[in-house]
Amino acid sequence: MSTPLTDAEFDRLESILSNFKNKKAMSLETVDGFFTALICSPEMTPPSVYLEEIWGGVEMSDEEAFKDEADLHDFMDLMMRFWNDVSRRLNEEEVFLPVLTEESLKEAKGNDWAKGFLRGIKIHQEDWGELFEDEENGGSLVAIMTLAHENDPDPKRRPYKKPVDSELREKLLLNLCAGVMRIYKYFEPHRRMSSESLRRDHTFRRETPKVGRNEPCPCGSGRKFKKCCGLDVTLN
């Protein structure tokens, strides 16, 4: 699970993601920004929450992306290794470098990544309020917000009236990279407290009957077990 993805595996994951038909489904670059925000966040996010968001926030049809269970497991493995790679970049690298796809490089470089980051913030929106209101550290979000709204459908939300030139874009991307590292360090004490609290709260294991993968999930969501809490079982 900790082995970094090869270029061929990134291509494979990008191909799988392109099969998701929902208009809110994420591209590879968007997922990188999304994962970055979730890993920076004060609270942990289970796979059953973020995977559904990746393919569009709705239940995915069995035929949409996976030919069989082996295909599904392949996708899960690639996703978790992608998650671990983002975590490694935040933990080990002196400078955080986002994954930007060739399509993005030709068009609005960094827009999809920044949009993915904002979608990650929304998962734990209340927890991020502290940073938005912090006068000293809130500026870490400026470049991300700027790139996310660069081509907003509402002209009033666009940060610049004129197109962003290459010099300004490179400056925004440099500020994005630096801002991500500041954000990650800013929430580090929060994540530590959340992790310690989680360990205290799980001092016993609750025994439950085994549930079939295609049976209704016992949590009451109405979805199949394999597409709800079963995702956590598959990935842990």
Side-chain angles (χ1 to χ4, degrees):
M1 297 288 271
S2 60
T3 307
L5 296 179
T6 64
D7 289 343
E9 288 172 327
F10 267 121
D11 290 342
R12 164 69 173 146
L13 183 54
E14 191 170 22
S15 176
I16 294 174
L17 291 169
S18 69
N19 289 329
F20 300 142
K21 305 306 180 186
N22 190 283
K23 64 181 181 179
K24 292 184 178 181
M26 297 185 186
S27 67
L28 183 71
E29 180 176 323
T30 309
V31 173
D32 192 67
F34 181 60
F35 277 179
T36 304
L38 293 180
I39 294 169
C40 285
S41 292
E43 298 291 335
M44 295 177 63
T45 309
S48 57
V49 172
Y50 67 68
L51 285 171
E52 186 171 288
E53 186 69 17
I54 287 170
W55 56 61
V58 295
E59 183 173 353
M60 180 182 56
S61 65
D62 290 330
E63 299 79 17
E64 191 168 3
F66 308 118
K67 294 179 294 185
D68 49 38
E69 192 162 323
D71 207 30
L72 171 63
H73 278 281
D74 183 31
F75 169 71
M76 296 299 192
D77 175 68
L78 291 172
M79 268 297 168
M80 289 307 298
R81 286 167 56 199
F82 192 11
W83 174 281
N84 290 339
D85 181 64
V86 175
S87 182
R88 179 194 59 77
R89 277 181 272 149
L90 288 166
N91 273 294
E92 300 177 6
E93 301 294 334
E94 293 184 10
V95 178
F96 179 85
L97 297 177
V99 171
L100 303 179
T101 60
E102 289 185 11
E103 182 178 351
S104 171
L105 296 175
K106 294 176 183 176
E107 299 177 1
K109 187 177 179 182
N111 282 187
D112 284 350
W113 192 96
K115 290 175 183 176
F117 194 94
L118 294 192
R119 287 175 70 172
I121 288 177
K122 287 182 179 179
I123 299 292
H124 301 289
Q125 193 163 358
E126 292 185 4
D127 297 320
W128 282 77
E130 176 185 324
L131 178 59
F132 277 92
E133 296 173 4
D134 190 308
E135 293 184 4
E136 182 178 351
N137 296 287
S140 304
L141 292 158
V142 171
I144 298 171
M145 300 289 289
T146 299
L147 287 167
H149 294 294
E150 179 184 349
N151 296 299
D152 197 284
D154 182 357
K156 294 180 180 179
R157 300 187 67 185
R158 296 175 191 170
Y160 301 106
K161 294 181 180 180
K162 296 181 179 180
V164 174
D165 60 29
S166 59
E167 183 178 351
L168 176 56
R169 188 174 302 282
E170 289 304 315
K171 182 178 180 180
L172 287 169
L173 288 171
L174 286 173
N175 288 339
L176 178 152
C177 295
V180 165
M181 295 303 290
R182 290 198 298 270
I183 293 168
Y184 184 70
K185 292 176 182 176
Y186 179 84
F187 282 126
E188 188 169 5
H190 301 69
R191 290 191 301 273
R192 191 181 304 116
M193 290 178 61
S194 176
S195 178
E196 292 172 355
S197 176
L198 188 64
R199 283 197 296 269
R200 288 196 301 269
D201 292 344
H202 288 75
T203 55
F204 67 94
R205 181 181 295 274
R206 181 165 56 93
E207 297 295 332
T208 58
K210 184 176 180 180
V211 180
R213 286 176 51 76
N214 290 307
E215 294 178 11
C217 188
C219 76
S221 67
R223 297 192 294 270
K224 293 180 181 179
F225 177 67
K226 67 180 180 181
K227 292 186 178 179
C228 191
C229 297
L231 285 173
D232 290 335
V233 175
T234 302
L235 294 171
N236 290 335

